[in-house]
Amino acid sequence: MDTLSFFCTGALIAGGLYWFVCILGPAEQKGKRATDLSGGSIAAEKVHDNYKQYWSFFRRPKEIETAEKVPDFVDTFYNLVTDIYEWGWGQSFHFSPSIPGKSHRDATRLHEEMAVDLIDVKAGDRILDVGCGVGGPMRAIAAHSRANVVGITINEYQVNRARLHNKKAGLDALCEVVCGNFLQMPFPDNSFDGAYSIEATCHAPKLEEVYGEIFRVLKPGALYVSYEWVTTDKYKGDDPEHVEVIQGIERGDALPGLRSYADIAETARKVGFEVVKERDLAKPPAQPWWSRLKMGRIAYWRNHIVVTVLAALGIAPKGTVDVHDMLFKTADYLTRGGDSGIFSPMHMILCRKPNNKDTTKP
């Protein structure tokens, strides 16, 4: 091979790698590049150890059923997965029904805007995002409603990412992010005009604990909407395949245990809410929410090659490959849960805090 051919071949390979990693690699919202993958707040040399620590929680399942252990459990998980989520999925860490003729980004935004429309807030109102992640929904909701959105997340790395994105989007005047535990929120009683949670309260060991906190900080008469992860009426606890799928979802998504759809409204009423509306947004005529997971299989293998190469070169932390592999396996369980109809990530419940003098919990 002569010098010119060698140079051209090298340039072609380098250009291909750049396109593969830096152009094709990022998620559609360009929130993160593959070469910037990290372990969140975890030092690079400790990512692999923290991955093993995460799995150790499942060898002591009783520990993740207690409020004391949940912050460490969930915080570790989101340190491990936040960058991969942003890179491979986008800034909104949730699902949405597919909409014919709409992009995934548009379908996601419409799903988020529906949440704030349901709680009937107006410009200038102060509303709470319970479990805000890196703030994808927060920004869509603030831009749509012009309400002042306060988000809370347990993960300090997500707080910093959300603030960075808010500033870049020019929405930092409307969006505030607080690092804290949604089971013990640092907000006064009766201080929010509305609240929402999008696929976030599933991380609570007991739903009544987080619902009770939301009830406390809402003003009387205010509305709260949640999209909950649940097992549906098709789930059979004595079916080994059903159990395998649900346990796979729990272990791959830092869940103390998925709840039945039948428990959601009962829990809301238990803490004092009036239930205004309840509906599984995944049911027909909604299009499958899991179609994006199916279509993303090729992207997964592309991304896995990128992560493996970057880890081998020392650019991505050791353990990133394990985390990415875990998320791919979890995507398969989620797809199986959607296909079979035994799982929904968008069981919607709309609640109101009673508008009367006695708003204490029963």
Side-chain angles (χ1 to χ4, degrees):
M1 181 182 290
D2 59 33
T3 303
L4 180 60
S5 297
F6 181 80
F7 177 79
C8 290
T9 302
L12 184 63
I13 292 172
L17 284 173
Y18 176 81
W19 174 80
F20 196 67
V21 174
C22 298
I23 305 300
L24 189 61
E28 58 181 329
Q29 294 196 39
K30 309 294 183 186
K32 199 76 179 178
R33 293 191 182 277
T35 49
D36 296 327
L37 293 177
S38 73
S41 299
I42 302 170
E45 66 273 12
K46 294 183 178 179
V47 169
H48 186 64
D49 289 341
N50 275 262
Y51 172 75
K52 292 191 291 185
Q53 177 191 350
Y54 171 75
W55 279 102
S56 74
F57 280 107
F58 292 102
R59 291 195 290 271
R60 304 186 302 275
K62 291 298 179 184
E63 291 192 9
I64 56 175
E65 294 175 5
T66 63
E68 293 78 14
K69 295 293 180 179
V70 165
D72 287 343
F73 174 58
V74 175
D75 187 43
T76 297
F77 175 76
Y78 278 112
N79 274 323
L80 292 171
V81 306
T82 290
D83 276 359
I84 294 177
Y85 275 2
E86 272 203 66
W87 173 54
W89 191 261
Q91 296 172 19
S92 294
F93 298 174
H94 64 81
F95 298 105
S96 58
S98 298
I99 302 176
K102 298 286 187 181
S103 67
H104 294 308
R105 183 186 299 184
D106 285 341
T108 297
R109 175 181 53 80
L110 291 169
H111 195 55
E112 293 162 350
E113 290 176 354
M114 181 175 67
V116 74
D117 289 343
L118 283 166
I119 60 175
D120 195 27
V121 297
K122 60 185 182 299
D125 281 352
R126 186 169 184 258
I127 63 176
L128 177 64
D129 181 332
V130 184
C132 65
V134 298
M138 168 192 293
R139 287 182 289 280
I141 283 169
H144 176 67
S145 68
R146 308 311 294 179
N148 296 293
V149 187
V150 179
I152 184 169
T153 172
I154 192 73
N155 186 262
E156 185 177 0
Y157 181 71
Q158 290 189 338
V159 171
N160 295 330
R161 292 295 297 168
R163 287 173 178 167
L164 176 66
H165 289 312
N166 292 345
K167 188 172 183 179
K168 284 183 176 180
L171 291 166
D172 46 327
L174 291 176
C175 299
E176 177 187 349
V177 190
V178 175
C179 189
N181 183 351
F182 61 30
L183 301 177
Q184 298 172 325
M185 291 192 282
F187 307 122
D189 295 358
N190 309 317
S191 54
F192 288 96
D193 299 298
Y196 64 89
S197 53
I198 299 179
E199 303 182 27
T201 56
C202 50
H203 292 299
K206 295 180 180 177
L207 191 60
E208 58 264 32
E209 292 179 349
V210 63
Y211 275 14
E213 272 292 273
I214 295 165
F215 183 91
R216 178 183 67 80
V217 302
L218 282 177
K219 295 177 181 178
L223 292 165
Y224 163 60
V225 67
S226 184
Y227 299 165
E228 294 287 347
W229 281 33
V230 297
T231 56
T232 72
D233 56 352
K234 294 184 178 180
Y235 173 71
K236 306 299 180 188
D238 57 356
D239 185 319
E241 184 175 354
H242 286 193
V243 172
E244 177 195 358
V245 168
I246 297 304
Q247 287 185 346
I249 293 171
E250 292 169 346
R251 292 176 180 177
D253 285 296
L255 306 181
L258 273 168
R259 285 170 272 272
S260 166
Y261 76 100
D263 297 333
I264 307 303
E266 179 183 351
T267 302
R269 293 187 181 99
K270 181 179 178 181
V271 303
F273 279 119
E274 298 171 352
V275 176
V276 178
K277 187 183 297 184
E278 184 180 20
R279 181 163 66 93
D280 187 351
L281 301 177
K283 287 186 175 180
Q287 298 295 306
W289 56 266
W290 61 94
S291 61
R292 186 178 176 189
L293 292 173
K294 284 186 172 181
M295 290 187 293
R297 288 180 180 274
I298 294 175
Y300 161 76
W301 288 111
R302 175 202 69 204
N303 291 354
H304 200 65
I305 292 170
V306 171
V307 170
T308 301
V309 170
L310 292 176
L313 294 174
I315 298 172
K318 181 183 178 183
T320 307
V321 177
D322 294 322
V323 176
H324 193 262
D325 186 58
M326 174 188 76
L327 294 179
F328 175 68
K329 291 175 180 175
T330 305
D332 183 62
Y333 285 122
L334 287 162
T335 300
R336 289 166 61 186
D339 269 334
S340 62
I342 65 172
F343 165 74
S344 171
M346 53 191 72
H347 184 90
M348 184 276 292
I349 185 166
L350 178 64
C351 308
R352 178 184 287 111
K353 182 172 180 175
N355 194 5
N356 55 44
K357 292 182 180 179
D358 182 11
T359 56
T360 58
K361 290 185 287 187

